[in-house]
Amino acid sequence: MRRRNFLMVAGAGLLQGQERAKRDMVTRAARPEDLEMPLSGFSDYLTPVEHFFVRSHVYVPAVELSSWRLKVEGAVGTPLTLDMAELLTLPAVELDSVAECAGNGRAFYDPPMPGLQWTHGAVGNGRWRGVRLADVLRRAGLQPSAREVLFAGADVPVGSMPDFQRSIPMRKALDPNTLLAFEMNGAPLPVKHGFPLRVIAPGWAGDSWVKWLTEIHVLDKEHDGFWMKSAYLHPGNAVAPGSAVAADQMRPVTSLRVKSVITSPESGTQAVMGKPLTIRGAAWSGDAGPVNSVEVSVDGGRAWKAAALVGKRTQFGWRQWELAWTPRSVGYVTILARARDAAGNTQPMEQEWNPSGYLWNVVHRVGLDVVREVRSVAPLTAPAQTPPVISACTGCHGEDVIRQQRLTRAQWDREVTKMTGWGARVRDEERAGLLDFLFTNFGPRTR
Ligand SMILES: Nc1nc2c(c(=O)[nH]1)N[C@H]1C(S)=C(S)[C@@H](COP(=O)(O)O)O[C@H]1N2
Ligand SMILES: [Mo]
């Protein structure tokens, strides 16, 4: 989009009305809104706005482009106040980059910790267009004491919660890939994603990607507000699961880690012996990227085969991958995928526990039942996010006894035999459907 067009589309307020509605998202929090992308979202190379995850600590501010200004202050030669037209006179740069919340995958840590229980989908791959932060800083002129760059957005904290403000070191601020973006996927930045301007810190976790940007302060040291010194901290190495680590023993989260997600087949589904299928997924890394290879195992990690990387290699975008596979025998199969990045980093097999559950990148595993022929899996109820368990199972105890189990199909088969032995009435023609339901909804824990 050219400069004039941007100002017209964004400024006329047409934008809000035309914004794409979110679709099929998992609501982790309704107010303020935190939305997770479903697994199917990984099948797009560029994540459409309607599938792009949303993470907002507070309510989305309404920003008028006509009164919006970007202030640049602190350790600079000339403090600046720029409107959008002035900002757009700087050279525009476009790049693809994954944005991932540091807490993506928190739900998998054991023991669990408080926080949004994201699984795989607090991540998306966007095409960002903006100006270089370095160009803006150069225009203001950095003083010799300049070390860190602090960002503040137009969002207003709720109650006495500290304002969301984050700083990044000068090395990252001057990186030519660090942008102040006004477009996402070829259109003005959507309101939920930071309209009219946000930070793009490719390779770094989402907490540095400040939205609704209004102020830049150049500092002589790391910002000492709550969001730098008490939140988004990582001990740098794994600690004993469940242990407490003092804040001064931790450092701010920066780079993402190499990671891969299996998007198809999905855990808890069936595959037919002898019938070819394609295992697919997406992989990305952080500063040490891009991804160089993805290996897949269909036997729980004994043997590994290279998957084909699909599409273009970009520095910060994710890479989709696929591997054809024909299951040769009946049984329960664990599929694993592990990525390796350009610096040779690969993923751990076991969790590396840290107190806030950040940067989960354990090798993803998917459990699959290989059968001789697929029985039609008749849903017992209309598809809902957590369908109720059949009434034959809730006479003696509550559903929670069932819901907390994570069992294989064989274990569920034994369990139902045990229960019918105790008096549960399950008709013969109901049994296969019930087992499908139990396995699909309360199957083995997979990551
Ligand atoms: N001003 C502001 N910027 C913010 C946040 C916020 O709450 N306020 N959340 C951050 C976090 S933690 C993440 S993961 C990303 C999420 O970006 P998205 O909602 O566009 O996916 O925005 C970041 N920028
Ligand atoms: Mo985040």
Side-chain angles (χ1 to χ4, degrees):
M1 197 176 313
R2 299 222 323 276
R3 188 163 84 100
R4 277 273 286 285
N5 288 343
F6 177 90
L7 291 172
M8 274 162 52
V9 175
L14 289 171
L15 178 66
Q16 268 86 343
Q18 287 175 354
E19 217 165 284
R20 290 161 167 274
K22 296 286 173 183
R23 184 163 59 74
D24 309 327
M25 301 295 278
V26 182
T27 303
R28 295 287 167 211
R31 285 176 305 113
E33 208 170 36
D34 294 301
L35 305 175
E36 177 164 351
M37 180 184 78
L39 261 191
S40 64
F42 287 103
S43 56
D44 289 308
Y45 168 69
L46 278 187
T47 312
V49 169
E50 54 266 42
H51 265 168
F52 214 96
F53 85 101
V54 174
R55 172 73 178 112
S56 297
H57 291 90
V58 295
Y59 295 92
V60 169
V63 178
E64 285 290 333
L65 195 57
S66 53
S67 54
W68 175 88
R69 296 290 182 276
L70 176 65
K71 288 190 169 176
V72 185
E73 299 171 331
V76 294
T78 321
L80 305 173
T81 301
L82 304 171
D83 64 17
M84 189 56 80
E86 289 166 310
L87 196 75
L88 292 177
T89 61
L90 293 170
V93 180
E94 189 170 70
L95 57 79
D96 296 351
S97 177
V98 163
E100 183 180 21
C101 182
N104 195 25
R106 175 180 294 123
F108 303 129
Y109 277 102
D110 185 23
M113 67 288 292
L116 295 170
Q117 297 298 304
W118 304 110
T119 59
H120 297 292
V123 61
N125 189 38
R127 180 161 293 162
W128 314 97
R129 188 175 173 81
V131 299
R132 292 194 172 98
L133 174 59
D135 288 345
V136 174
L137 294 176
R138 258 179 226 120
R139 178 167 290 193
L142 291 173
Q143 291 184 359
S145 63
R147 295 283 177 278
E148 288 260 331
V149 178
L150 174 70
F151 305 112
D155 46 342
V156 181
V158 280
S160 57
M161 174 188 140
D163 193 19
F164 183 82
Q165 300 188 357
R166 296 272 309 167
S167 73
I168 61 174
M170 198 52 75
R171 175 180 53 81
K172 186 69 175 173
L174 294 180
D175 186 307
N177 295 306
T178 299
L179 307 183
L180 304 181
F182 42 78
E183 277 179 35
M184 173 181 183
N185 298 351
L189 206 57
V191 171
K192 289 179 182 177
H193 298 290
F195 178 84
L197 194 72
R198 82 174 301 173
V199 176
I200 304 297
W204 283 26
D207 41 292
S208 292
W209 296 47
V210 174
K211 302 194 273 190
W212 312 293
L213 188 66
T214 50
E215 288 172 41
I216 295 176
H217 293 267
V218 178
L219 306 176
D220 59 3
K221 62 174 181 10
E222 189 180 289
H223 175 55
D224 44 30
F226 174 85
W227 297 99
M228 294 303 292
K229 300 297 184 193
S230 304
Y232 294 111
L233 299 177
H234 192 287
N237 48 283
V239 297
S243 57
V245 182
D248 64 6
Q249 301 297 303
M250 297 195 272
R251 299 192 302 268
V253 165
T254 57
S255 177
L256 297 173
R257 296 179 184 170
V258 63
K259 182 167 178 178
S260 179
V261 174
I262 301 167
T263 58
S264 174
E266 283 193 40
S267 243
T269 56
Q270 298 179 347
V272 178
M273 190 178 87
K275 192 175 164 200
L277 59 90
T278 306
I279 304 169
R280 292 176 208 279
W284 63 94
S285 187
D287 284 342
V291 162
N292 269 2
S293 66
V294 175
E295 291 177 307
V296 174
S297 172
V298 292
D299 60 3
R302 289 178 185 82
W304 295 84
K305 245 185 137 170
L309 301 181
V310 182
K312 267 211 326 252
R313 174 185 165 99
T314 63
Q315 183 66 35
F316 300 108
W318 64 33
R319 197 79 188 268
Q320 292 166 305
W321 55 264
E322 59 182 42
L323 178 72
W325 173 58
T326 306
R328 293 293 173 200
S329 56
V330 166
Y332 183 75
V333 169
T334 300
I335 303 177
L336 308 173
R338 72 175 177 211
R340 187 178 292 276
D341 68 20
N345 301 303
T346 190
Q347 304 176 242
M349 294 299 293
E350 293 298 328
Q351 72 169 353
E352 296 168 326
W353 201 89
N354 63 94
S356 298
Y358 292 136
L359 303 177
W360 174 268
N361 72 334
V362 170
V363 167
H364 185 199
R365 59 186 73 208
V366 155
L368 195 66
D369 240 356
V370 179
V371 294
R372 239 169 261 286
E373 63 187 282
V374 176
R375 283 184 312 272
S376 64
V377 182
L380 295 180
T381 53
Q385 270 192 354
T386 50
V389 175
I390 66 165
S391 59
C393 296
T394 52
C396 303
H397 50 68
E399 292 190 12
D400 52 355
V401 175
I402 294 167
R403 288 184 183 281
Q404 65 193 266
Q405 311 299 321
R406 291 291 177 268
L407 307 177
T408 64
R409 185 181 294 267
Q411 285 174 304
W412 274 121
D413 194 44
R414 285 200 291 277
E415 204 58 34
V416 170
T417 302
K418 180 175 166 187
M419 295 302 141
T420 48
W422 283 352
R425 277 194 289 252
V426 178
R427 283 179 280 122
D428 281 350
E429 62 272 23
E430 271 183 317
R431 192 182 164 103
L434 174 64
L435 285 178
D436 286 336
F437 171 83
L438 293 169
F439 176 76
T440 304
N441 291 287
F442 316 113
R445 197 178 285 292
T446 51
R447 288 176 163 152

